[in-house]
Amino acid sequence: MASRSVCVLCRKTSVVGTMCRGMSAAAHPQSQVDFLKGEAHKKHPGVTNLKTLRLPEELQTAACSIIHRAQLPRLTERTHSLTNSLWSRKRPVEDFTLRKKALSLEKELWRKEIETIGDGDVDEQLLEDRIRKKVISELRRSTYHWTTMKYDEDLAVVYMAARLAGGYAAVRRAMNEIKKRDPSFAPQSLLDFGSGLGTVVWASHSCWGDTLKEMVCVDSSGPMNILAEKLLKGDDNEAEPHIKHVYFRQFLPVSPKVQFDLVVTAFTLSELPNMKEREEAVLTLWRKTSSYLVLVENGTKEGHQMLMEARDALLKKQEKTVYDTRPASVFAPCPHELTCPKLTQEPVTPCNFQQQYHPLPLPGHHQLQREKFIYLILTRTKAAKAETENVDWARLIAPVQCRSRHVHCRMCCSDGKLQHLVVTARKHSRDVYRCARSSNWGDQQPIIQQVQDDVQSDSE
């Protein structure tokens, strides 16, 4: 009788356990297999961040050799000065903006002059000349003076010391988004517009070195092209380039029908003199794109604004002649194609990301550094939708804050809104919670759409 009672009890316990597991599954219907695709939580499909990056050994050795041979005076000081100058660089003021400001100033000055003079006699021509001079003087004082960056041999070396490692880190991180989320992509051709030191070539070679057969670098600066070639040859003009099939040009290929699997422009849009030229450049590059277009800029408000302008042009602009009918769609980082919610908030903050890297081993560059950048990837192929219903992927736009039994995630979501989600294992499932603890700024985070608790407006 005792053993029979034990058997009955065991069966009851088994039933209760099954019911509890069933209730747990009902409460949290998205199990690990749904969105993890067999991966560990630390390597879930939304993780695209990279660990601390180093320059390829051949590239770093060549750069150090060139810098040592150049023996430039005050290199550390000039490097810091150029870095600060490039970071604070703004877009040129558009002509229509300048005219609007001039008219407003002129109107205000006329009003003040009339109030001062009253009904007295006045020489209108003399007054008009005086007001015009005041308007010009004020515009000169308050308007940002944009000038084209011109690189000679010395400044190109200073730029290399200042930006080679950081530029490589940003581009490599952006490309990892494609490599992680589209592992079948194996580009054979690359176009780099505004190639500078050739960091895009080195970064793309790190990702797809086995498949790339043609890499075209376009830069209007002769000294930059020469320096990029030296880096490829290890600072030895007689040596074979470390990466083959790299071709340098000062102008884009003429034929609009020539396309490349991967087209990249990094830190180049900010060097174009106005919005019209930036838009024309982006549309031209898109015509030359057969799979992915990657845009990278400094992680500033200016960089963010330029990439959002480029995004709008590519998604909304209707061209007269279309050679490839496949439309543009946003691949990363935006989880939607609506207006950027960060542009509608006050104060406006840029949607930027960061990548830690080892700088060149130069005086004053010993500590690890972080490159803060903005990127945008567009594709000809519509991004595949999640296979599992009710699972959405949002982009983490700030560092994740891990606390006891809960995680604070600030995200841009597929509905075009910013959200502050407090993730817990009880409310969002153990898998979603562990993914949140394993994710960081710039990664994608899975969201169970039915769960609405603890979702706050980012402005709160």
Side-chain angles (χ1 to χ4, degrees):
M1 286 291 292
S3 61
R4 187 174 179 183
S5 299
V6 170
C7 290
V8 171
L9 181 60
C10 288
R11 285 198 298 272
K12 287 183 178 180
T13 303
S14 176
V15 170
V16 170
T18 303
M19 289 175 64
C20 289
R21 285 194 294 273
M23 288 172 66
S24 177
H28 305 301
Q30 312 304 327
S31 62
Q32 177 171 331
V33 71
D34 285 330
F35 58 83
L36 290 178
K37 299 179 181 179
E39 294 286 351
H41 295 94
K42 290 184 178 180
K43 297 181 179 180
H44 70 78
V47 174
T48 51
N49 267 304
L50 292 168
K51 294 181 179 179
T52 305
L53 283 173
R54 289 183 183 272
L55 286 172
E57 186 177 346
E58 299 85 356
L59 177 58
Q60 179 165 301
T61 301
C64 290
S65 173
I66 293 170
I67 292 170
H68 179 73
R69 264 195 319 108
Q71 294 185 338
L72 297 178
R74 302 182 297 106
L75 178 61
T76 302
E77 179 186 336
R78 294 171 69 182
T79 297
H80 290 158
S81 176
L82 181 60
T83 300
N84 293 335
S85 175
L86 292 172
W87 180 257
S88 60
R89 197 163 166 78
K90 297 181 180 179
R91 291 167 293 163
V93 179
E94 299 293 327
D95 288 343
F96 68 85
T97 303
L98 208 55
R99 285 195 296 269
K100 184 178 179 181
K101 188 174 181 180
L103 287 172
S104 177
L105 277 171
E106 186 179 9
K107 185 177 179 181
E108 179 64 18
L109 288 171
W110 271 108
R111 184 186 65 78
K112 289 181 178 179
E113 289 290 348
I114 290 173
E115 287 179 356
T116 302
I117 296 168
D119 296 331
D121 293 334
V122 63
D123 186 332
E124 290 189 7
Q125 185 61 49
L126 187 63
L127 181 57
E128 186 176 336
D129 290 342
R130 187 164 72 240
I131 288 176
R132 185 182 297 111
K133 287 180 181 179
K134 285 184 178 181
V135 169
I136 293 172
S137 176
E138 178 60 22
L139 289 177
R140 284 176 177 170
R141 187 191 65 80
S142 61
T143 302
Y144 176 74
H145 298 286
W146 185 90
T147 55
T148 304
M149 293 290 295
K150 295 182 179 179
Y151 292 93
D152 56 17
E153 291 182 12
D154 284 358
L155 187 56
V157 173
V158 174
Y159 180 85
M160 179 173 66
R163 295 293 304 134
L164 181 65
Y168 173 86
V171 173
R172 180 70 179 79
R173 164 62 183 85
M175 287 183 173
N176 192 57
E177 189 85 27
I178 303 174
K179 188 172 177 63
K180 174 73 182 281
R181 292 174 53 196
D182 187 1
S184 64
F185 179 60
Q188 295 190 12
S189 58
L190 164 75
L191 172 64
D192 179 12
F193 177 66
S195 53
L197 301 169
T199 48
V200 168
V201 165
W202 290 90
S204 59
H205 185 264
S206 297
C207 292
W208 303 287
D210 295 335
T211 66
L212 285 164
K213 305 301 181 187
E214 179 190 20
M215 289 171 272
V216 178
C217 295
V218 179
D219 200 297
S220 59
S221 171
M224 278 292 194
N225 288 334
I226 292 171
L227 187 54
E229 286 192 272
K230 281 185 178 181
L231 289 170
L232 285 172
K233 293 184 177 183
D235 194 26
D236 182 356
N237 291 330
E238 303 301 320
E240 287 291 315
H242 176 71
I243 302 174
K244 301 185 186 304
H245 313 299
V246 181
Y247 308 97
F248 292 90
R249 304 282 186 270
Q250 286 190 298
F251 304 99
L252 283 168
V254 176
S255 173
K257 295 182 181 179
V258 175
Q259 286 190 319
F260 298 81
D261 297 331
L262 180 64
V263 178
V264 185
T265 182
F267 310 104
T268 301
L269 294 180
S270 53
E271 297 305 318
L272 299 179
N274 53 59
M275 186 189 296
K276 183 180 179 182
E277 287 202 26
R278 290 195 297 272
E279 182 178 287
E280 288 177 353
V282 167
L283 292 173
T284 299
L285 294 176
W286 178 244
R287 285 193 290 270
K288 296 189 177 301
T289 302
S290 65
S291 293
Y292 288 100
L293 171 63
V294 181
L295 311 176
V296 182
E297 286 294 335
N298 284 330
T300 60
K301 290 182 183 180
E302 294 291 315
H304 182 212
Q305 185 66 52
M306 281 186 283
L307 290 199
M308 291 303 98
E309 288 171 0
R311 181 179 179 266
D312 288 344
L314 291 170
L315 294 178
K316 300 174 183 178
K317 191 83 172 181
Q318 297 294 325
E319 296 194 78
K320 294 180 181 178
T321 306
V322 179
Y323 295 96
D324 191 329
T325 57
R326 293 174 296 167
S329 63
V330 176
F331 181 79
C334 315
H336 59 83
E337 295 183 354
L338 304 169
T339 300
C340 176
K342 283 216 163 193
L343 293 179
T344 62
Q345 285 193 329
E346 289 294 341
V348 174
T349 56
C351 185
N352 53 23
F353 306 94
Q354 63 180 16
Q355 175 60 51
Q356 186 166 273
Y357 67 94
H358 291 275
L360 283 171
L362 301 172
H365 291 78
H366 300 300
Q367 296 181 343
L368 294 181
Q369 296 184 11
R370 294 181 185 275
E371 177 73 7
K372 194 168 283 186
F373 66 98
I374 290 174
Y375 73 106
L376 175 67
I377 304 176
L378 293 107
T379 179
R380 292 271 185 194
T381 306
K382 196 72 175 177
K385 293 183 178 180
E387 296 177 1
T388 309
E389 291 183 1
N390 304 320
V391 175
D392 205 357
W393 292 88
R395 182 72 60 174
L396 291 163
I397 58 171
V400 172
Q401 295 174 315
C402 295
R403 300 291 185 262
S404 176
R405 298 184 182 180
H406 66 278
V407 184
H408 289 269
C409 297
R410 289 171 175 80
M411 308 170 295
C412 183
C413 301
S414 60
D415 60 0
K417 296 179 181 178
L418 302 180
Q419 288 187 352
H420 174 193
L421 182 66
V422 182
V423 180
T424 65
R426 182 176 64 83
K427 292 184 179 179
H428 303 87
S429 87
R430 175 176 170 273
D431 289 326
V432 171
Y433 172 70
R434 290 187 65 185
C435 283
R437 293 193 76 89
S438 302
S439 300
N440 212 331
W441 184 7
D443 289 332
Q444 288 183 300
Q445 168 65 19
I447 298 178
I448 309 304
Q449 292 179 341
Q450 294 99 322
V451 177
Q452 298 297 329
D453 294 341
D454 293 342
V455 175
Q456 306 170 13
S457 168
D458 195 58
S459 61
E460 292 179 6

